[in-house]
Amino acid sequence: MKAASTGKDKKAKRGVTEENWNLRLYVAGQTPKSIAAFTNLKKICEEYLAGKYQIEVIDLLKNPQLAKGDQIIALPTLVRKLPEPIKKIIGDLANTERVLVGLDIRAV
Amino acid sequence: MVKKKHDAVVLEKCPTGIKGFDEITNGGLPKGRPTLICGSAGCGKTLFAMEFLLRGALDFGEPGVFMTFEETPEDLAKNFISLGFDINDMMSRGLIAMDHVYIERSEIEETGEYDLEGLFIRLGNAVDSIGGAKRVVLDTIEALFSGLSNAAIIRAELRRLFHWLKERGVTAIVTGESGDKMLTRYGLEEYVADCVILLDFRIDEQISTRRLRIIKYRGSAHGADEYPFLIDDGGLSILPITSLGLDYPVSSQRVSTGIAKLDAMFEGKGFYRGSTILISGTAGTGKTSMSATFADATCRRGERCLYFAFEESPSQIIRNMASIGMDLTPWVKKGLLRFHSARPSLYGLEMHLLTFHKVIEEFNPQVFVVDPISNLSAAGSLSEVKSILTRLIDYLKMSNITTFLTDLTRYEGSLERTSEEISSLIDTWLMLRDIELNGERNRGLYILKSRGMAHSNQIQEFLLTSQGIDLIDIYTGAGDVLTGSARAAQEAEEKASDLVRRREVERKLRAQERKRNALEANIAALRAEFDVETLEVQLMAEEEQKRQAVQAEDRLDMAQLRKGKPSNPRVLRPEKKTKG
């Protein structure tokens, strides 16, 4: 976890200049919903943010204490840590249009 | 017995530790099940839930999790420190865990299917973090509805949540805001089927009262009334009206009234210890003086007396009592007498009752005086006053505290009328009344009732003198009831005629004495005369004897001269003569 966060910090520094996207996907185990969410996210990122994104998947079944920090209630939840401000998208990310709006990618 | 045992098996209860609540629910909330607490904003839901949790952790060894959806843990900690709970300290000791769930709708976009597993994971994590919490509070889970748009998912997940809570066997409290047509705005009562408690906050005539009602308690008997409750620096306290029965112990010990002549009206012994005494009377009949006298007598016995004054300040009472020769200051200094003054309208009736309870528990008096109770009606309706007094008197009887109440009655109507609501609670009822006669007003006292003892039926005139209270028999001669100066005049008149009669007798006695003296003088004179006569007679007799002796000698001499033959018959002859 610690390693991941320092890595994120480094990316964050670059993110200011190079428009780096730091995304975090919270799931609880390998449920159909979480698998669908990850697949949908990967697809959207490849399409719109190729080369400038990083996805961190956090399984709350393994690290339940992490749910508190990002105020996770619903699962799956995608948190856009960078660029700021923080955005949250809940659901299996099946509706690409809404994910793009939620992540503010549309303008890019 | 069998039923009780059965009951315990069927439904275990989880004590809340909230004063009074466990009494009305026969033990607390249903153990291992969720309970819904609903009510409008500011009615004390969070406080109830938090107190349940904190007392559980401190008093019953059941650690708990507080999941707050509204207030931050920092704010909660700040709020509860004033109630004497150090939440931060308890958290660091692992007694409770807190989780602040914050949902900001504008930050969240919803795309497709989701569930609330995150909430479950957080709750599960919090429960495990303190080694298996036994109590859980969700305050208030309704925030989910405003934070998320898919109500169908939320409802499905809530159902799952309550099922999950039951499965884990935690006793849970869920709070919910009152709704328009339903108990809660989002119909939470649909999911919590076991126990529903409604908190209410009402304002009548500018005085607020909080009330609690158990709407539903599946599988358990519970009080169905609305119970007033209070929030003060000791947390929440519920005052069950019916929790106290009539099975208190009674004492046959007697306590003096402080007025010897009043004691005499009660078989010469005074009131029963632990009984309830009411003095009613119109303004200025001496109720406070009687209360103070009783308080004084209590302290003289070395007992403690608690004096609730609703009309006067302690210093004013002390000053005024000095005018009837009573000094209460030493008792106050010794700690035997404690005054408690407050305006009745200062706060609601419930608060008054709680204040009574608190001060009584703190001071532990043998005698409790309220002067006057009639002023309490300013703080509530008649039925409320009655219920408060019932509870107060029951409580005092349980503690065997002698209660002395005064009641100010109005001029209009029957004197007995105003107090009839509480008369059934009173053991000894004294009446002070004005007797207006011949242009003056005097005070009369009589005993209206006194349970369990013979008592005088006489009206006594009640006097406030510089030496204290005095009772005088009212003049009832010549078919008239006289008091005050009329009585005094009547008595003076009687005294005068008495005197005249006494003089007459004395005079007659003296005359008789003189007569007797005269008589005795007469007797003495006669006796003297008689004595003189007796002496003369005696002298005469002696002379005669001498004369006869001389005669006998002469005869002898004569015989000698004639024959010279003295013989016995000559001697015998005079003997015979004397005999004859």
Side-chain angles (χ1 to χ4, degrees), chain B residues 91-103:
Chain B
M91 273 164 70
S92 63
R93 281 159 62 197
L95 292 172
I96 56 166
M98 267 216 204
D99 192 357
H100 179 217
V101 177
Y102 170 78
I103 312 168

Side-chain angles (χ1 to χ4, degrees), chain B residues 301-328:
Chain B
R301 287 194 300 271
E303 296 174 3
R304 280 181 306 281
C305 174
L306 182 61
Y307 196 115
F308 264 80
F310 281 128
E311 271 179 344
E312 295 174 88
S313 72
S315 45
Q316 191 179 326
I317 292 175
I318 290 172
R319 183 203 67 191
N320 293 352
M321 289 312 120
S323 75
I324 57 164
M326 190 191 306
D327 188 7
L328 297 171

Side-chain angles (χ1 to χ4, degrees), chain B residues 442-459:
Chain B
N442 294 297
R443 303 178 178 99
L445 176 146
Y446 62 93
I447 303 167
L448 206 66
K449 75 168 183 183
S450 190
R451 287 175 178 158
M453 63 176 89
H455 53 272
S456 163
N457 64 347
Q458 296 296 302
I459 298 182

Side-chain angles (χ1 to χ4, degrees), chain B residues 319-393:
Chain B
R319 183 203 67 191
N320 293 352
M321 289 312 120
S323 75
I324 57 164
M326 190 191 306
D327 188 7
L328 297 171
T329 330
W331 307 132
V332 175
K333 277 189 188 145
K334 269 190 187 170
L336 290 172
L337 178 62
R338 186 186 290 184
F339 281 102
H340 200 286
S341 277
R343 281 280 166 208
S345 50
L346 185 62
Y347 28 65
L349 276 175
E350 310 300 336
M351 201 66 187
H352 279 299
L353 184 62
L354 193 87
T355 316
F356 288 156
H357 273 250
K358 277 197 152 169
V359 181
I360 289 168
E361 259 163 47
E362 202 179 285
F363 188 55
N364 191 23
Q366 278 86 16
V367 168
F368 177 67
V369 178
V370 182
D371 178 33
I373 49 162
S374 41
N375 269 21
L376 279 178
S377 56
S381 73
L382 219 55
S383 64
E384 281 174 320
V385 173
K386 190 184 179 184
S387 96
I388 288 280
L389 283 174
T390 311
R391 282 181 278 163
L392 177 66
I393 288 170

Side-chain angles (χ1 to χ4, degrees), chain B residues 278 373 385-386 389 405 407 419-426:
Chain B
L278 176 72
I373 49 162
V385 173
K386 190 184 179 184
L389 283 174
L405 311 168
D407 178 40
S419 312
E420 69 197 11
E421 286 82 16
I422 58 160
S423 79
S424 56
L425 305 169
I426 303 299

Side-chain angles (χ1 to χ4, degrees), chain B residues 63-277:
Chain B
V65 170
F66 196 96
M67 198 167 227
T68 168
F69 291 76
E70 282 173 340
E71 287 174 274
T72 63
E74 292 74 39
D75 283 348
L76 283 170
K78 224 177 278 171
N79 297 346
F80 279 84
I81 201 101
S82 62
L83 300 178
F85 293 110
D86 189 345
I87 290 182
N88 289 327
D89 173 61
M90 288 174 72
M91 273 164 70
S92 63
R93 281 159 62 197
L95 292 172
I96 56 166
M98 267 216 204
D99 192 357
H100 179 217
V101 177
Y102 170 78
I103 312 168
E104 179 54 58
R105 193 161 193 166
S106 63
E107 281 182 7
I108 296 173
E109 193 71 38
E110 295 175 33
T111 67
E113 287 283 298
Y114 60 90
D115 56 37
L116 298 182
E117 188 63 31
L119 193 68
F120 286 77
I121 288 171
R122 284 172 75 167
L123 194 52
N125 184 44
V127 167
D128 295 337
S129 73
I130 48 173
K134 296 277 190 298
R135 297 177 181 210
V136 167
V137 172
L138 302 168
D139 179 47
T140 163
I141 202 153
E142 283 175 332
L144 289 176
F145 287 94
S146 53
L148 303 170
S149 59
N150 196 334
I153 290 180
I154 298 171
R155 290 190 182 281
E157 289 297 283
L158 278 182
R159 209 173 288 281
R160 194 160 70 92
L161 176 68
F162 288 118
H163 187 70
W164 182 86
L165 287 169
K166 268 190 186 179
E167 221 165 45
R168 296 209 60 152
V170 293
T171 310
I173 286 186
V174 185
T175 62
E177 198 93 352
S178 296
D180 282 341
K181 282 178 186 161
M182 295 177 289
L183 282 174
T184 56
R185 201 173 290 166
Y186 296 99
L188 285 178
E189 61 272 23
E190 200 181 311
Y191 309 102
V192 187
D194 294 304
C195 183
V196 179
I197 292 161
L198 178 70
L199 302 183
D200 183 29
F201 185 55
R202 257 178 263 168
I203 294 176
D204 289 324
E205 292 182 18
Q206 298 156 5
I207 289 165
S208 65
T209 330
R210 295 169 190 275
R211 290 188 172 83
L212 175 146
R213 184 158 70 94
I214 301 166
I215 292 180
K216 176 168 161 184
Y217 198 144
R218 191 173 278 177
S220 168
H222 61 83
D225 302 337
E226 278 195 314
Y227 299 100
F229 72 95
L230 287 167
I231 295 173
D232 68 352
D233 53 6
L236 214 100
S237 4
I238 293 152
L239 305 158
I241 298 166
T242 49
S243 74
L244 297 168
L246 282 170
D247 50 353
Y248 32 75
V250 292
S251 170
S252 51
Q253 207 187 333
R254 303 285 276 264
V255 287
S256 165
T257 61
I259 307 161
K261 284 183 179 163
L262 185 58
D263 286 344
M265 291 173 79
F266 294 106
E267 302 173 329
K269 298 176 205 160
F271 308 126
Y272 277 121
R273 183 179 291 282
S275 67
T276 309
I277 300 121

